[in-house]
Amino acid sequence: MLNVLVTGGAGYIGSHTCVELINNGYNVISVDNYSNSAPQVIDRIKKITGKDMKSYCCDIRNKKDLEKIFSDNKIDVVIHFAGLKSVGESCKKPLLYFDNNIFGTIVLCEVMQKFNVKKLVFSSSATVYGDESLPPYVESMPTGKVTNPYGRTKYIVEEMLKDVFSSDNGWSITLLRYFNPVGAHESGLIGEDPKGIPNNLMPYVSQVAIGKLSKLTVFGGNYNTPDGTCIRDYIHVVDLARGHIKAIEKTMQNQGINIYNLGTSRGYSVLELIKAFEKATGKRISYETGSPREGDIAVVYANTDKAFCELGFKAQFDINKMCEDAWHWQSKNPTGYVIN
Ligand code: NAD
Ligand code: UFG
């Protein structure tokens, strides 16, 4: 049985990936400092899978603690989710983002190198494409013209990992560029639990539906799109999690550095998403149109051919299921993991 170390295993995407890993026969070891999650998540993962997993409360920047985890466990491969992800916060606190996301990855790679663990799957983002090229985004397109410090950390880590591989071809590294993960596990036991007012569309819509927020502001109604609102490639988080199983299989077989988009290749506008949510849940979503949000790109969606051809990955769930499961999670856990 392969031992997979998952950094950020209690986070939104990490927790769903732990479930899929365990269900696929992997032994999972989570490392999380719970800066944007809660230890209760681990119990929920155990409840869904009916299996045990190891978890450590540890900041990946703490080399000594991380080394202890590597010496106490025989790690075969690492999936690296741990990082900060708020675009707005990264503009206010760039050094925090560079420290956590870039320095954190450096420490992780140093420890991996020391313990001769050279198989890594990294959570990157469609944000690395910036607005240089037109969608659909293909992995070979130029990257780096990013619009905020968060995006810059993803770009820099991608480049750094390419250099790590160039220096030592014994590494096998897979960079996954996620589009817009939404939804939740169908059990309603794990899901997205943003602290404070959500930055992202789906959790915002869910909180309007449950009455925590009064109305959604649609950021901009004059984009060059059919209904004037921005288009994104939303992917169900369970599909995304399953993409990681495919990525692990590839990473274990190959040496090299491989990059894959994980999306559906289908874009939905903000208004289409609101309509889909209303249809899937029977809830009315009040909204008003406001100014565009700085840095937003009109249309973002993936070309998913490479992930399909090389990984055999194709997303299964449609927008209806994404909305249904996001609502199921929200309505079962109105205050998230922490009960008020
Ligand atoms: P999340 O915040 O829910 O999960 C990240 C987890 O990492 C949290 O549990 C947090 O406590 C932990 N963490 C953060 N810094 C840490 C550190 N220094 N040491 C140990 N643990 C630490 O975010 P998510 O949505 O699950 O995203 C996971 C990864 O995917 C992130 O790297 C994010 O940038 C990337 N990503 C997310 C999206 C998205 O829309 N959610 C899109 C593209 C890429
Ligand atoms: N939106 C609104 N109102 C809101 C929130 C969002 O209209 O209250 C709109 C945005 O303008 C955008 C769309 O809904 O058009 C989706 O916005 P999200 O914030 O949910 O997602 P983004 O595409 O802006 O950002 C996501 C990730 C980022 C990542 C980026 C690019 O959250 O981490 O994709 O990959 F950097």
Side-chain angles (χ1 to χ4, degrees):
M1 196 190 265
L2 284 182
N3 291 328
V4 186
L5 184 108
V6 181
T7 75
Y12 173 46
I13 306 169
S15 57
H16 288 82
T17 304
C18 288
V19 167
E20 294 307 313
L21 285 166
I22 295 168
N23 286 344
N24 279 276
Y26 292 92
N27 190 35
V28 174
I29 299 142
S30 165
V31 174
D32 201 304
N33 66 359
Y34 305 115
S35 59
N36 196 38
S37 55
Q40 293 93 304
V41 177
I42 304 297
D43 297 325
R44 303 273 182 105
I45 297 171
K46 290 179 189 169
K47 196 166 170 191
I48 293 171
T49 59
K51 303 239 169 70
D52 206 5
M53 66 179 273
K54 257 193 190 177
S55 60
Y56 293 90
C57 178
C58 164
D59 192 305
I60 56 162
R61 291 166 294 182
N62 188 326
K63 200 171 196 175
K64 262 181 64 189
D65 287 359
L66 203 55
E67 284 181 344
K68 176 89 172 69
I69 295 169
F70 273 76
S71 78
D72 289 351
N73 298 277
K74 192 199 134 302
I75 310 292
D76 296 298
V77 53
V78 175
I79 310 184
H80 179 31
F81 293 105
L84 300 174
K85 62 164 182 179
S86 161
V87 171
E89 185 186 48
S90 79
C91 296
K92 296 194 183 94
K93 300 176 182 170
L95 297 177
L96 178 69
Y97 274 66
F98 290 130
D99 183 46
N100 203 75
N101 294 6
I102 300 175
F103 178 63
T105 307
I106 293 173
V107 173
L108 174 67
C109 289
E110 283 172 348
V111 175
M112 287 177 70
Q113 207 155 30
K114 178 165 175 185
F115 286 83
N116 202 30
V117 179
K118 293 184 179 173
K119 298 191 184 307
L120 175 67
V121 176
F122 173 64
S123 298
S124 189
S125 165
T127 197
V128 299
Y129 292 113
D131 57 2
E132 224 172 330
S133 315
L134 288 177
Y137 292 109
V138 179
E139 289 85 346
S140 54
M141 283 176 170
T143 53
K145 221 172 137 256
V146 289
T147 52
N148 58 73
Y150 163 72
R152 193 156 295 116
T153 68
K154 291 294 171 193
Y155 171 69
I156 291 170
V157 169
E158 280 201 2
E159 295 302 301
M160 189 175 88
L161 294 175
K162 288 177 192 170
D163 288 338
V164 167
F165 175 71
S166 301
S167 74
D168 174 358
N169 289 175
W171 281 83
S172 177
I173 301 174
T174 305
L175 309 178
L176 299 178
R177 294 181 180 154
Y178 309 153
F179 282 68
N180 288 58
V182 295
H185 191 266
E186 66 178 359
S187 62
L189 286 169
I190 55 173
E192 191 168 11
D193 182 19
K195 292 199 162 95
I197 296 176
N199 296 307
N200 301 115
L201 182 61
M202 186 67 99
Y204 203 110
V205 167
S206 305
Q207 292 196 13
V208 171
I210 202 136
K212 263 174 104 172
L213 297 168
S214 60
K215 68 163 82 137
L216 171 78
T217 302
V218 174
F219 296 143
N222 280 318
Y223 284 98
N224 186 16
T225 60
D227 65 18
T229 66
C230 289
I231 292 176
R232 293 290 181 274
D233 183 342
Y234 298 96
I235 175 169
H236 196 296
V237 66
V238 172
D239 271 329
L240 190 72
R242 290 177 182 159
H244 289 74
I245 307 295
K246 301 285 190 187
I248 289 267
E249 289 165 3
K250 177 85 178 174
T251 312
M252 293 311 294
Q253 282 162 12
N254 280 60
Q255 274 162 343
I257 183 141
N258 290 292
I259 307 178
Y260 299 102
N261 288 337
L262 292 183
T264 66
S265 77
R266 164 80 158 93
Y268 285 88
S269 74
V270 177
L271 295 184
E272 284 176 324
L273 186 130
I274 295 171
K275 281 207 191 79
F277 191 94
E278 289 183 333
K279 187 160 172 253
T281 65
K283 291 275 158 188
R284 289 271 314 147
I285 303 301
S286 308
Y287 68 87
E288 64 188 6
T289 305
S291 321
R293 184 170 66 178
E294 211 187 314
D296 271 352
I297 295 170
V299 183
V300 177
Y301 61 95
N303 175 308
T304 55
D305 293 350
K306 192 175 176 212
F308 182 64
C309 293
E310 294 186 16
L311 298 180
F313 172 73
K314 194 168 173 27
Q316 303 293 322
F317 297 128
D318 63 11
I319 193 82
N320 186 58
K321 175 81 172 148
M322 297 179 211
C323 294
E324 232 174 58
D325 288 342
W327 174 239
H328 186 216
W329 153 254
Q330 179 71 68
S331 49
K332 248 182 115 171
N333 306 269
T335 55
Y337 289 108
V338 179
I339 294 150
N340 286 342

